[in-house]
Amino acid sequence: MHEKTPATAAGKSSSATARAKVAGVPAFTPVRTRRAFEEVCDQVREQLLRGDLKPGDRLPGERELAEQFSISRIAVREALRSLESGGVVEVRTGINGGFYIRSSSNVDGITQSVQDMVTLGQVSIANLTEARVEMMSMAIRLACARATEEELDAIESDVEHHTELFKSGGGSRNSKSVIEFYRLIAKATHNEVIVLMIDALSEIIRDMLARIDPQPRKDIMQVRRKVIALMRQRDAEAACTAMRNHLQHVSDYLESVSQNPVRPRKLPG
């Protein structure tokens, strides 16, 4: 494979950028410094900030991007993978397949990053618990002020559903639905950032507990019933206290198992 000369590369990139502008699609400038894929990622993010790119927009194809940026297709692939793992773009398959700007929030990137930090010992269980307690306390306070009756009904319905599920032996931490309770409280805040953060923290703790003992105790539903009952009364402080005590019990359990993993005990209510 022949290497492009600087003049040839510059000519092709200029032509590709001009064609993009005429066609009304995102146009990028050649990469001159830094690692190529980092510059690609930065330019995509800059266009998002300016509004030149919007959720649902399709990025140019790999070959077209390589010409516009005046870099190799390998560097383009590395940039697209980085943007995908960061939740900025998503891959779609089929006739209209390609890389698109994500049209909805993606918690997977945040969850994986924090999980990796826990695995590497950079984040402790105590750190996770503190963050989760504070986020849930904030969510409960906002939800008590903002939640509609329909949203409170949805939280209560989730509690009743899982109560019956656990009675029949169908409840499991291997199912992500077990943490829907926390997500519904977060959604009742009407703040998508809070939903994103609570989703990530809840999923990390759920995964840790599932590895130890996939079957939660049935009386965990007593705590949830207490929380939603207090939220219906708009008693935010009492609901926060009940939630804080429960989450601290979960943290104590995880700490004890991490220190003595031979025989895990049942999680207290």
Side-chain angles (χ1 to χ4, degrees):
M1 180 177 178
H2 298 293
E3 296 239 353
K4 295 178 182 177
T5 64
T8 303
K12 284 197 172 184
S13 65
S14 177
S15 175
T17 301
R19 289 198 306 271
K21 288 180 177 178
V22 171
V25 297
F28 301 96
T29 58
V31 173
R32 303 298 185 194
T33 58
R34 305 171 64 205
R35 288 190 294 178
F37 88 91
E38 292 178 338
E39 181 68 24
V40 173
C41 292
D42 283 353
Q43 286 199 40
V44 170
R45 287 188 170 97
E46 284 170 9
Q47 291 215 18
L48 276 168
L49 286 172
R50 291 199 306 265
D52 296 335
L53 280 172
K54 298 180 178 61
D57 283 353
R58 186 181 187 278
L59 290 177
E62 187 180 286
R63 180 177 178 178
E64 180 70 10
L65 284 173
E67 290 185 1
Q68 285 193 45
F69 284 111
S70 191
I71 58 176
S72 70
R73 293 175 72 167
I74 292 175
V76 169
R77 289 189 202 110
E78 188 175 4
L80 292 173
R81 282 197 298 267
S82 177
L83 290 167
E84 183 184 12
S85 65
V88 177
V89 303
E90 62 183 349
V91 182
R92 297 182 190 175
T93 58
I95 298 176
N96 296 316
F99 282 90
Y100 288 77
I101 302 298
R102 290 196 71 92
S103 55
S104 60
S105 61
N106 178 21
V107 73
D108 293 341
I110 297 175
T111 303
Q112 190 59 58
S113 295
V114 179
Q115 281 182 327
D116 290 343
M117 292 172 73
V118 173
T119 302
L120 294 170
Q122 297 171 337
V123 170
S124 66
I125 293 172
N127 288 156
L128 281 175
T129 299
E130 183 177 54
R132 195 178 183 209
V133 165
E134 293 305 317
M135 288 301 301
M136 286 306 306
S137 294
M138 182 192 303
I140 287 172
R141 289 189 182 97
L142 289 175
C144 282
R146 301 175 179 174
T148 65
E149 287 302 314
E150 290 77 11
E151 287 169 332
L152 294 175
D153 287 344
I155 298 170
E156 189 163 4
S157 293
D158 180 78
V159 173
E160 295 308 318
H161 168 70
H162 281 89
T163 297
E164 293 304 314
L165 203 60
F166 289 171
K167 284 180 180 178
S168 64
S172 171
R173 292 194 186 101
N174 288 323
S175 170
K176 291 189 177 184
S177 72
V178 76
I179 56 174
E180 181 68 8
F181 171 74
Y182 304 106
R183 186 168 201 274
L184 289 171
I185 292 176
K187 283 178 70 67
T189 68
H190 303 174
N191 185 316
E192 287 303 316
V193 176
I194 292 176
V195 176
L196 190 68
M197 298 304 297
I198 285 178
D199 274 354
L201 292 169
S202 298
E203 173 56 23
I204 292 165
I205 297 297
R206 182 203 66 79
D207 183 68
M208 293 172 71
L209 290 168
R211 293 170 187 270
I212 298 167
D213 182 3
Q215 299 302 320
R217 284 184 53 148
K218 296 175 183 178
D219 54 5
I220 196 173
M221 289 299 111
Q222 293 177 6
V223 176
R224 296 188 179 186
R225 278 197 295 272
K226 182 176 182 180
V227 169
I228 183 57
L230 290 167
M231 288 180 67
R232 280 198 179 279
Q233 297 169 24
R234 309 290 174 168
D235 190 344
E237 291 310 311
C240 285
T241 298
M243 180 67 79
R244 185 182 302 113
N245 291 340
H246 168 63
L247 296 181
Q248 190 59 57
H249 288 160
V250 173
S251 178
D252 293 343
Y253 173 66
L254 286 172
E255 289 278 11
S256 68
V257 171
S258 66
Q259 294 169 9
N260 183 24
V262 178
R263 184 178 295 177
R265 58 188 175 82
K266 280 288 184 181
L267 175 66

mmCIF file with all atom_site columns, all heavy atoms in Angstrom, residues 111-122:
data_model
loop_
_atom_site.group_PDB
_atom_site.id
_atom_site.type_symbol
_atom_site.label_atom_id
_atom_site.label_alt_id
_atom_site.label_comp_id
_atom_site.label_asym_id
_atom_site.label_entity_id
_atom_site.label_seq_id
_atom_site.pdbx_PDB_ins_code
_atom_site.Cartn_x
_atom_site.Cartn_y
_atom_site.Cartn_z
_atom_site.occupancy
_atom_site.B_iso_or_equiv
_atom_site.pdbx_formal_charge
_atom_site.auth_seq_id
_atom_site.auth_comp_id
_atom_site.auth_asym_id
_atom_site.auth_atom_id
_atom_site.pdbx_PDB_model_num
ATOM 1  N N   . THR A 1 111 ? -21.206 3.187  33.840 1.00 0.00 ? 111 THR A N   1
ATOM 2  C CA  . THR A 1 111 ? -21.194 1.990  34.678 1.00 0.00 ? 111 THR A CA  1
ATOM 3  C C   . THR A 1 111 ? -19.894 1.229  34.533 1.00 0.00 ? 111 THR A C   1
ATOM 4  O O   . THR A 1 111 ? -19.259 0.842  35.523 1.00 0.00 ? 111 THR A O   1
ATOM 5  C CB  . THR A 1 111 ? -22.370 1.063  34.309 1.00 0.00 ? 111 THR A CB  1
ATOM 6  O OG1 . THR A 1 111 ? -23.595 1.786  34.433 1.00 0.00 ? 111 THR A OG1 1
ATOM 7  C CG2 . THR A 1 111 ? -22.408 -0.162 35.210 1.00 0.00 ? 111 THR A CG2 1
ATOM 8  N N   . GLN A 1 112 ? -19.456 1.008  33.287 1.00 0.00 ? 112 GLN A N   1
ATOM 9  C CA  . GLN A 1 112 ? -18.239 0.248  33.045 1.00 0.00 ? 112 GLN A CA  1
ATOM 10 C C   . GLN A 1 112 ? -17.018 0.961  33.604 1.00 0.00 ? 112 GLN A C   1
ATOM 11 O O   . GLN A 1 112 ? -16.122 0.335  34.186 1.00 0.00 ? 112 GLN A O   1
ATOM 12 C CB  . GLN A 1 112 ? -18.052 0.004  31.537 1.00 0.00 ? 112 GLN A CB  1
ATOM 13 C CG  . GLN A 1 112 ? -16.926 -0.983 31.215 1.00 0.00 ? 112 GLN A CG  1
ATOM 14 C CD  . GLN A 1 112 ? -17.156 -2.344 31.848 1.00 0.00 ? 112 GLN A CD  1
ATOM 15 O OE1 . GLN A 1 112 ? -18.166 -2.981 31.605 1.00 0.00 ? 112 GLN A OE1 1
ATOM 16 N NE2 . GLN A 1 112 ? -16.220 -2.780 32.697 1.00 0.00 ? 112 GLN A NE2 1
ATOM 17 N N   . SER A 1 113 ? -16.978 2.278  33.450 1.00 0.00 ? 113 SER A N   1
ATOM 18 C CA  . SER A 1 113 ? -15.831 3.045  33.957 1.00 0.00 ? 113 SER A CA  1
ATOM 19 C C   . SER A 1 113 ? -15.704 2.909  35.470 1.00 0.00 ? 113 SER A C   1
ATOM 20 O O   . SER A 1 113 ? -14.611 2.675  35.993 1.00 0.00 ? 113 SER A O   1
ATOM 21 C CB  . SER A 1 113 ? -15.974 4.523  33.571 1.00 0.00 ? 113 SER A CB  1
ATOM 22 O OG  . SER A 1 113 ? -15.922 4.694  32.184 1.00 0.00 ? 113 SER A OG  1
ATOM 23 N N   . VAL A 1 114 ? -16.824 3.056  36.173 1.00 0.00 ? 114 VAL A N   1
ATOM 24 C CA  . VAL A 1 114 ? -16.784 2.958  37.636 1.00 0.00 ? 114 VAL A CA  1
ATOM 25 C C   . VAL A 1 114 ? -16.489 1.520  38.068 1.00 0.00 ? 114 VAL A C   1
ATOM 26 O O   . VAL A 1 114 ? -15.725 1.281  39.010 1.00 0.00 ? 114 VAL A O   1
ATOM 27 C CB  . VAL A 1 114 ? -18.094 3.459  38.266 1.00 0.00 ? 114 VAL A CB  1
ATOM 28 C CG1 . VAL A 1 114 ? -18.052 3.320  39.789 1.00 0.00 ? 114 VAL A CG1 1
ATOM 29 C CG2 . VAL A 1 114 ? -18.341 4.912  37.887 1.00 0.00 ? 114 VAL A CG2 1
ATOM 30 N N   . GLN A 1 115 ? -17.069 0.540  37.359 1.00 0.00 ? 115 GLN A N   1
ATOM 31 C CA  . GLN A 1 115 ? -16.797 -0.859 37.686 1.00 0.00 ? 115 GLN A CA  1
ATOM 32 C C   . GLN A 1 115 ? -15.313 -1.172 37.534 1.00 0.00 ? 115 GLN A C   1
ATOM 33 O O   . GLN A 1 115 ? -14.725 -1.891 38.352 1.00 0.00 ? 115 GLN A O   1
ATOM 34 C CB  . GLN A 1 115 ? -17.625 -1.788 36.794 1.00 0.00 ? 115 GLN A CB  1
ATOM 35 C CG  . GLN A 1 115 ? -19.070 -1.937 37.237 1.00 0.00 ? 115 GLN A CG  1
ATOM 36 C CD  . GLN A 1 115 ? -19.853 -2.888 36.365 1.00 0.00 ? 115 GLN A CD  1
ATOM 37 O OE1 . GLN A 1 115 ? -19.612 -2.991 35.168 1.00 0.00 ? 115 GLN A OE1 1
ATOM 38 N NE2 . GLN A 1 115 ? -20.805 -3.576 36.953 1.00 0.00 ? 115 GLN A NE2 1
ATOM 39 N N   . ASP A 1 116 ? -14.703 -0.647 36.477 1.00 0.00 ? 116 ASP A N   1
ATOM 40 C CA  . ASP A 1 116 ? -13.267 -0.858 36.275 1.00 0.00 ? 116 ASP A CA  1
ATOM 41 C C   . ASP A 1 116 ? -12.463 -0.254 37.418 1.00 0.00 ? 116 ASP A C   1
ATOM 42 O O   . ASP A 1 116 ? -11.485 -0.840 37.885 1.00 0.00 ? 116 ASP A O   1
ATOM 43 C CB  . ASP A 1 116 ? -12.818 -0.236 34.951 1.00 0.00 ? 116 ASP A CB  1
ATOM 44 C CG  . ASP A 1 116 ? -13.350 -0.981 33.737 1.00 0.00 ? 116 ASP A CG  1
ATOM 45 O OD1 . ASP A 1 116 ? -13.780 -2.145 33.902 1.00 0.00 ? 116 ASP A OD1 1
ATOM 46 O OD2 . ASP A 1 116 ? -13.337 -0.411 32.631 1.00 0.00 ? 116 ASP A OD2 1
ATOM 47 N N   . MET A 1 117 ? -12.879 0.922  37.881 1.00 0.00 ? 117 MET A N   1
ATOM 48 C CA  . MET A 1 117 ? -12.183 1.577  38.988 1.00 0.00 ? 117 MET A CA  1
ATOM 49 C C   . MET A 1 117 ? -12.315 0.777  40.281 1.00 0.00 ? 117 MET A C   1
ATOM 50 O O   . MET A 1 117 ? -11.371 0.698  41.071 1.00 0.00 ? 117 MET A O   1
ATOM 51 C CB  . MET A 1 117 ? -12.725 2.993  39.178 1.00 0.00 ? 117 MET A CB  1
ATOM 52 C CG  . MET A 1 117 ? -12.390 3.939  38.025 1.00 0.00 ? 117 MET A CG  1
ATOM 53 S SD  . MET A 1 117 ? -13.237 5.541  38.150 1.00 0.00 ? 117 MET A SD  1
ATOM 54 C CE  . MET A 1 117 ? -12.307 6.288  39.496 1.00 0.00 ? 117 MET A CE  1
ATOM 55 N N   . VAL A 1 118 ? -13.491 0.159  40.483 1.00 0.00 ? 118 VAL A N   1
ATOM 56 C CA  . VAL A 1 118 ? -13.685 -0.695 41.654 1.00 0.00 ? 118 VAL A CA  1
ATOM 57 C C   . VAL A 1 118 ? -12.778 -1.915 41.563 1.00 0.00 ? 118 VAL A C   1
ATOM 58 O O   . VAL A 1 118 ? -12.103 -2.289 42.531 1.00 0.00 ? 118 VAL A O   1
ATOM 59 C CB  . VAL A 1 118 ? -15.161 -1.137 41.779 1.00 0.00 ? 118 VAL A CB  1
ATOM 60 C CG1 . VAL A 1 118 ? -15.322 -2.170 42.893 1.00 0.00 ? 118 VAL A CG1 1
ATOM 61 C CG2 . VAL A 1 118 ? -16.057 0.066  42.046 1.00 0.00 ? 118 VAL A CG2 1
ATOM 62 N N   . THR A 1 119 ? -12.740 -2.543 40.393 1.00 0.00 ? 119 THR A N   1
ATOM 63 C CA  . THR A 1 119 ? -11.914 -3.727 40.180 1.00 0.00 ? 119 THR A CA  1
ATOM 64 C C   . THR A 1 119 ? -10.437 -3.427 40.422 1.00 0.00 ? 119 THR A C   1
ATOM 65 O O   . THR A 1 119 ? -9.701  -4.241 40.997 1.00 0.00 ? 119 THR A O   1
ATOM 66 C CB  . THR A 1 119 ? -12.098 -4.261 38.740 1.00 0.00 ? 119 THR A CB  1
ATOM 67 O OG1 . THR A 1 119 ? -13.478 -4.568 38.535 1.00 0.00 ? 119 THR A OG1 1
ATOM 68 C CG2 . THR A 1 119 ? -11.274 -5.516 38.517 1.00 0.00 ? 119 THR A CG2 1
ATOM 69 N N   . LEU A 1 120 ? -9.993  -2.255 39.996 1.00 0.00 ? 120 LEU A N   1
ATOM 70 C CA  . LEU A 1 120 ? -8.586  -1.856 40.141 1.00 0.00 ? 120 LEU A CA  1
ATOM 71 C C   . LEU A 1 120 ? -8.275  -1.311 41.533 1.00 0.00 ? 120 LEU A C   1
ATOM 72 O O   . LEU A 1 120 ? -7.132  -0.950 41.815 1.00 0.00 ? 120 LEU A O   1
ATOM 73 C CB  . LEU A 1 120 ? -8.238  -0.802 39.087 1.00 0.00 ? 120 LEU A CB  1
ATOM 74 C CG  . LEU A 1 120 ? -8.261  -1.282 37.633 1.00 0.00 ? 120 LEU A CG  1
ATOM 75 C CD1 . LEU A 1 120 ? -8.137  -0.097 36.682 1.00 0.00 ? 120 LEU A CD1 1
ATOM 76 C CD2 . LEU A 1 120 ? -7.136  -2.294 37.381 1.00 0.00 ? 120 LEU A CD2 1
ATOM 77 N N   . GLY A 1 121 ? -9.292  -1.246 42.390 1.00 0.00 ? 121 GLY A N   1
ATOM 78 C CA  . GLY A 1 121 ? -9.075  -0.760 43.740 1.00 0.00 ? 121 GLY A CA  1
ATOM 79 C C   . GLY A 1 121 ? -8.979  0.745  43.848 1.00 0.00 ? 121 GLY A C   1
ATOM 80 O O   . GLY A 1 121 ? -8.552  1.288  44.876 1.00 0.00 ? 121 GLY A O   1
ATOM 81 N N   . GLN A 1 122 ? -9.401  1.460  42.789 1.00 0.00 ? 122 GLN A N   1
ATOM 82 C CA  . GLN A 1 122 ? -9.343  2.917  42.805 1.00 0.00 ? 122 GLN A CA  1
ATOM 83 C C   . GLN A 1 122 ? -10.577 3.535  43.467 1.00 0.00 ? 122 GLN A C   1
ATOM 84 O O   . GLN A 1 122 ? -10.560 4.703  43.838 1.00 0.00 ? 122 GLN A O   1
ATOM 85 C CB  . GLN A 1 122 ? -9.201  3.449  41.375 1.00 0.00 ? 122 GLN A CB  1
ATOM 86 C CG  . GLN A 1 122 ? -7.912  3.011  40.691 1.00 0.00 ? 122 GLN A CG  1
ATOM 87 C CD  . GLN A 1 122 ? -7.880  3.367  39.219 1.00 0.00 ? 122 GLN A CD  1
ATOM 88 O OE1 . GLN A 1 122 ? -8.925  3.554  38.593 1.00 0.00 ? 122 GLN A OE1 1
ATOM 89 N NE2 . GLN A 1 122 ? -6.689  3.452  38.659 1.00 0.00 ? 122 GLN A NE2 1
#
